[in-house]
Amino acid sequence: MEDRPISEPEAAVVEWLLKSASVVGPLDHLVPFVQKLRVVARCTCGCASVDFEPGGQAGRSRPIADAVGEAAPGKRRGVILWGRDDAITGLEVYELSPGSNLTLPPTASLKSWDKAGRGRSGRAP
């Protein structure tokens, strides 16, 4: 368990996802809440995944934005923003390249899956 404000890198990624990688329609109404988010839990595996409310990636939450990025050349990872119509509940980071340490990718490397030109598997169609 944790209880801390969202970090600047986390906030930047969440805001980018809301503006550029929605899978449920416009999410601009959630942007003003990003700086107010608090991390209440992080993944036990040591990756950069965090929850902004207990069980943030479960229950009534669903993926609301989805993207791919790189923290280093060839170290691709996926990033999913979890939420509801009225809340951002979690940020998930997952491995797409073997040996990736699952740190949060910088916003400059993020691309929506449509713009990445690849399927969710990370392979070219």
Side-chain angles (χ1 to χ4, degrees), residues 9-31:
E10 291 163 341
V13 168
V14 168
E15 190 167 327
W16 187 93
L17 288 165
L18 290 170
K19 292 177 178 179
S20 305
S22 173
V23 297
V24 296
L27 294 170
D28 294 336
H29 66 284
L30 294 175
V31 172

Side-chain angles (χ1 to χ4, degrees), residues 18-105:
L18 290 170
K19 292 177 178 179
S20 305
S22 173
V23 297
V24 296
L27 294 170
D28 294 336
H29 66 284
L30 294 175
V31 172
F33 301 103
V34 172
Q35 293 299 325
K36 297 174 186 168
L37 290 171
R38 292 194 64 81
V39 172
V40 298
R42 77 178 307 111
C43 186
T44 58
C45 83
C47 71
S49 298
V50 295
D51 285 334
F52 302 117
E53 65 178 44
Q57 297 173 43
R60 298 182 345 196
S61 296
R62 68 187 189 283
I64 60 173
D66 195 2
V68 61
E70 287 186 336
K75 299 297 181 188
R76 293 172 40 94
R77 61 212 51 178
V79 183
I80 298 174
L81 188 63
W82 289 78
R84 299 183 303 273
D85 292 335
D86 64 343
I88 303 162
T89 61
L91 177 62
E92 179 181 357
V93 180
Y94 61 95
E95 181 178 9
L96 290 171
S97 301
S100 179
N101 65 5
L102 294 179
T103 57
L104 198 59

